[in-house]
Amino acid sequence: MKAEGVFLVALVGLVSGQRPQVTLPDLGTMEGYFGESFISNRSFYHFKGIPFAKPPIGNLRFQPPQPVEPWTGILDAHSNIGNECPQSFSVLNWQGALQSRADDDDLNKAKEPEDCLYIQVYSPNIDPTANLPVVVFIHGGAFFSGSSRIYGGNKFMDHDVVLVVPHYRLGPLGFLSLQTDEIPGNAGMLDQVEALKWIQKYISFFGGNPNQVTVMGESAGAVSASLLNVSPLSTNLFQQYITQSGTALASWGIDPDPVTAAIDVAFRANCTNSEITALTQCLMTVEPSELNAAYMEYLTAETRQGRSGIGGSAPVVQKAGSVRFLEKSPHEIFASGDYNGKPAIFGANKHEGTQPYFFLHTFYLAPRNLTEDVEFLSRGVTRLFLNFHGVGTDQGDTLAIATENTYYGVNNMGNLTLLWPGIIDFSSNMQIKGPTFGNAEFNIAKGAPTYLYSFHFDGSRSLYPITAPFSPIPGGVCHGNEMILQFSIPTFGTNTEDEVVSNQLLTLWANFITYGDPTPVSSPVEGIPTWPRLESRDGSYLVINSTSSILQDYTRVEYFVSINENFPNNIMN
Ligand SMILES: *[C@@H]1O[C@H](CO)[C@@H](O)[C@H](O)[C@H]1NC(C)=O
Ligand SMILES: *[C@@H]1O[C@H](CO)[C@@H](O)[C@H](O)[C@H]1NC(C)=O
Ligand SMILES: *[C@@H]1O[C@H](CO)[C@@H](O)[C@H](O)[C@H]1NC(C)=O
Ligand SMILES: *[C@@H]1O[C@H](CO)[C@@H](O)[C@H](O)[C@H]1NC(C)=O
Ligand SMILES: *[C@@H]1O[C@H](CO)[C@@H](O)[C@H](O)[C@H]1NC(C)=O
């Protein structure tokens, strides 16, 4: 297969020494390199560190991105990977933890450059007439962490698709909002929009078809994909989307009170001015590392109060700014019907709730000595998790009582060992599965092809020891674990069984990206049954495991997995 790569390069006459070149009109020429795909070992083109917007520095901090400017000479798109966006590192930041193992040199830089709007492109064929379908991966990391470096694309490169992985501004630099024109919020979302515009203009020079673009995201990236679909600024820049473990309907997807959070974060960054012009001036000039440290402090304090801490670092409903990504809440937009239905895959992992459980156990229950407090565990714990998942008021404990009856089991109240499997289910649904199914239903209402999956494969490696260090409970098939199979994550290898499921996942996704159908008759996936569209509330969905199957009635079957399936009841594992 390597011979094919060389042949293509010779054909389009772009080879310079051993490295492929691409020239973008009005911008310049770049030099990438050849990679080798995961299973078939075929050669592909890889361009890293391509700037897709003007560096958002100086007066452009907090502002919408500006179009990229041309460069002189040949851009190094092989050794220069492009700065990751400034972010803080802590135990709450698993992506950072992963990266620090992989990339120590970069991390040890004293200052984090805000010049971080870079994109990576992977392509099996850069002939401008190749017209390959394009997939844009929006990474996760709770809107405050992550970068394209963590998600190596050599698994996608076993397939004839062009993969694009953009950076977007993170944390307060990407999302802080005072609801003023100077600090309007959503800068990070507008970076994603700018990346999609760049793709429209330039992806054909990498062999991609700008009219066949799928946006795929995981976690905060999945919320992003769903938001990009409801924003009038971006919905026409792509044709299909995939959300893995998150949608715009998630309670953590939108910051409900951004100004309060912004002022709190600003205060911790020593921007204590009560007058708005001075406060803005301070925020415009504070070091990124200090602003991110302040956000981490805020996040830690919020978590210790039993709250999610998304404030100051998540998308907002904008009330100011020259460019407005979102002017109504996603709930309002969906309810009004003013959104596009598109071919889409929605899905979640079986035990999403183990992640939020870890947070509240570690940062709330344990420090307050509540894990054996029978009185607290009789009702307070129910209120705690309701509040964490964004349920503000609960008149007469109506929802608490319903939650206990439905999920926790009234006879289990008072005993955390008996309670936590139900808490996992409840949290899975509140945080991820409910919003996932909700977005799927709205897509069906538009008559758009809709595919739903539940990921159940417990592979040889898990992110849980990093996302939930010293967790008192096992992670199960936790948030993010499918990433290990879809991308090449530094230090996360795969065994033979993982590779079978990995190949199935990639083939399903490549089929969807290419045909709008994950299991078309023309391209069956070995070991996977035909995956029918979800047509109704009790319709069909795909369970992805070492043996995959089609089941019916997602909310009935998947909303109560840990109780039904005897989630391992081993507190100390
Ligand atoms: C790919 O390369 C690996 C390692 O060199 C080898 O074991 C494997 O058989 C190759 N696969 C194919 C399909 O050529
Ligand atoms: C704020 O100022 C205090 C006192 O000067 C200093 O110790 C602290 O590191 C500063 N915090 C940040 C986030 O810069
Ligand atoms: C924690 O609670 C247990 C049981 O209620 C009690 O025996 C113990 O003294 C408490 N520990 C602390 C540090 O408060
Ligand atoms: C809680 O339930 C577990 C499992 O049934 C049991 O072993 C334990 O003794 C119970 N704890 C209390 C304090 O009753
Ligand atoms: C996945 O399949 C394995 C092997 O058949 C099985 O043991 C496991 O319970 C399944 N996982 C889930 C979550 O259904």
Side-chain angles (χ1 to χ4, degrees):
M1 286 307 237
K2 275 189 199 87
E4 184 186 65
V6 172
F7 171 72
L8 287 171
V9 170
L11 183 74
V12 296
L14 293 173
V15 75
S16 145
Q18 292 303 305
R19 299 205 176 103
Q21 292 190 354
V22 161
T23 299
L24 302 181
D26 305 326
L27 288 184
T29 297
M30 71 186 79
E31 194 168 82
Y33 76 110
F34 292 106
E36 194 179 78
S37 72
F38 185 61
I39 291 176
S40 62
N41 299 338
R42 70 174 181 170
S43 176
F44 63 84
Y45 302 86
H46 186 182
F47 300 88
K48 309 178 187 178
I50 312 169
F52 69 91
K54 202 169 157 178
I57 56 179
N59 287 339
L60 293 179
R61 183 184 281 186
F62 303 123
Q63 290 296 309
Q66 302 299 308
V68 63
E69 293 182 334
W71 57 85
T72 52
I74 293 185
L75 181 79
D76 172 0
H78 50 93
S79 67
N80 183 4
I81 194 162
N83 299 322
E84 63 173 2
C85 288
Q87 51 196 286
S88 289
F89 306 98
S90 76
V91 290
L92 297 175
N93 180 349
W94 65 271
Q95 313 225 25
L98 280 178
Q99 200 174 307
S100 63
R101 298 177 183 189
D103 241 340
D104 277 331
D105 290 349
D106 286 303
L107 278 182
N108 291 335
K109 275 186 256 169
K111 281 191 184 174
E112 307 166 80
E114 287 175 88
D115 169 9
C116 69
L117 297 183
Y118 294 89
I119 203 164
Q120 296 201 44
V121 179
Y122 302 78
S123 175
N125 179 356
I126 55 172
D127 184 329
T129 64
N131 236 16
L132 297 174
V134 177
V135 55
V136 188
F137 179 64
I138 313 287
H139 71 73
F143 294 110
F144 67 78
S145 69
S147 91
S148 66
R149 305 176 186 196
I150 300 168
Y151 304 95
N154 65 338
K155 294 184 169 109
F156 269 99
M157 287 299 101
D158 281 317
H159 301 272
D160 287 331
V161 299
V162 174
L163 170 68
V164 187
V165 189
H167 286 168
Y168 53 99
R169 277 172 280 176
L170 300 168
L173 291 167
F175 294 96
L176 200 78
S177 171
L178 288 173
Q179 300 289 20
T180 61
D181 286 347
E182 289 72 29
I183 306 185
N186 288 342
M189 296 312 300
L190 292 169
D191 293 339
Q192 295 177 16
V193 176
E194 191 65 26
L196 293 177
K197 288 184 181 165
W198 183 92
I199 287 164
Q200 287 301 301
K201 263 176 127 163
Y202 298 116
I203 206 62
S204 65
F205 298 95
F206 299 91
N209 178 356
N211 299 313
Q212 197 179 2
V213 177
T214 299
V215 172
M216 161 186 173
E218 188 265 339
S219 191
V223 172
S224 299
S226 169
L227 284 173
L228 289 165
N229 183 52
V230 298
S231 170
L233 301 187
S234 43
T235 189
N236 294 327
L237 299 172
F238 61 103
Q239 286 70 42
Q240 318 190 114
Y241 65 110
I242 301 173
T243 72
Q244 300 179 201
S245 304
T247 73
L249 293 169
S251 65
W252 48 278
I254 300 286
D255 181 351
D257 189 6
V259 178
T260 305
I263 288 171
D264 188 329
V265 173
F267 199 87
R268 295 175 192 272
N270 291 338
C271 290
T272 53
N273 322 66
S274 55
E275 194 274 315
I276 189 87
T277 313
L279 177 64
T280 301
Q281 185 54 33
C282 183
L283 287 167
M284 289 295 290
T285 49
V286 64
E287 281 298 328
S289 55
E290 283 174 23
L291 195 51
N292 281 331
Y295 173 67
M296 276 299 134
E297 210 183 287
Y298 161 85
L299 175 59
T300 305
E302 286 290 294
T303 311
R304 289 193 189 287
Q305 295 299 316
R307 296 189 289 262
S308 65
I310 62 152
S313 179
V316 302
V317 178
Q318 263 180 269
K319 299 205 169 73
S322 54
V323 186
R324 300 189 188 182
F325 177 72
L326 197 67
E327 295 197 86
K328 286 182 192 158
S329 79
H331 286 271
E332 265 180 273
I333 296 172
F334 279 118
S336 71
D338 194 11
Y339 62 94
N340 287 328
K342 286 180 188 170
I345 294 177
F346 303 96
N349 296 355
K350 183 175 168 178
H351 301 123
E352 296 283 359
T354 54
Q355 186 70 57
Y357 181 85
F358 158 77
F359 277 121
L360 287 179
H361 188 111
T362 305
F363 296 104
Y364 193 95
L365 298 177
R368 291 170 190 243
N369 198 16
L370 294 171
T371 58
E372 290 175 11
D373 185 320
V374 176
E375 198 190 325
F376 180 79
L377 295 172
S378 296
R379 176 58 49 84
V381 69
T382 318
R383 293 182 184 140
L384 173 70
F385 276 85
L386 278 166
N387 185 55
F388 181 83
H389 291 301
V391 178
T393 51
D394 183 15
Q395 289 290 332
D397 278 339
T398 312
L399 294 172
I401 292 163
T403 301
E404 289 163 8
N405 287 328
T406 315
Y407 289 96
Y408 297 180
V410 283
N411 295 332
N412 296 334
M413 298 313 294
N415 184 331
L416 194 56
T417 309
L418 299 172
L419 273 175
W420 71 260
I423 298 180
I424 302 299
D425 278 341
F426 176 68
S427 292
S428 294
N429 297 345
M430 293 298 282
Q431 183 142 300
I432 310 277
K433 293 182 185 180
T436 297
F437 195 76
N439 200 150
E441 284 200 302
F442 280 118
N443 205 50
I444 294 174
K446 289 285 181 179
T450 302
Y451 297 92
L452 180 68
Y453 74 85
S454 188
F455 182 74
H456 289 194
F457 178 65
D458 198 2
S460 69
R461 299 295 305 274
S462 173
L463 297 177
Y464 201 65
I466 287 178
T467 57
F470 310 109
S471 176
I473 60 159
V477 184
C478 70
H479 190 58
N481 264 5
E482 84 285 15
M483 291 286 96
I484 298 171
L485 303 184
Q486 289 178 313
F487 294 92
S488 291
I489 299 185
T491 80
F492 276 77
T494 45
N495 69 13
T496 312
E497 198 194 8
D498 298 340
E499 281 161 25
V500 171
V501 181
S502 163
N503 191 25
Q504 289 172 331
L505 263 178
L506 268 297
T507 310
L508 288 167
W509 264 227
N511 276 342
F512 176 73
I513 291 159
T514 308
Y515 307 107
D517 179 346
T519 52
V521 176
S522 62
S523 178
V525 185
E526 201 183 327
I528 300 281
T530 300
W531 183 358
R533 292 179 188 177
L534 180 74
E535 310 268 12
S536 61
R537 180 158 264 258
D538 60 357
S540 302
Y541 67 99
L542 177 67
V543 172
I544 301 170
N545 197 344
S546 42
T547 302
S548 294
S549 52
I550 302 297
L551 294 186
Q552 272 77 38
D553 208 348
Y554 180 86
T555 61
R556 186 179 58 79
V557 181
E558 299 304 334
Y559 277 16
F560 302 100
V561 285
S562 27
I563 289 174
N564 288 353
E565 300 183 19
N566 297 318
F567 192 98
N569 203 0
N570 176 2
I571 275 277
M572 292 321 294
N573 187 352

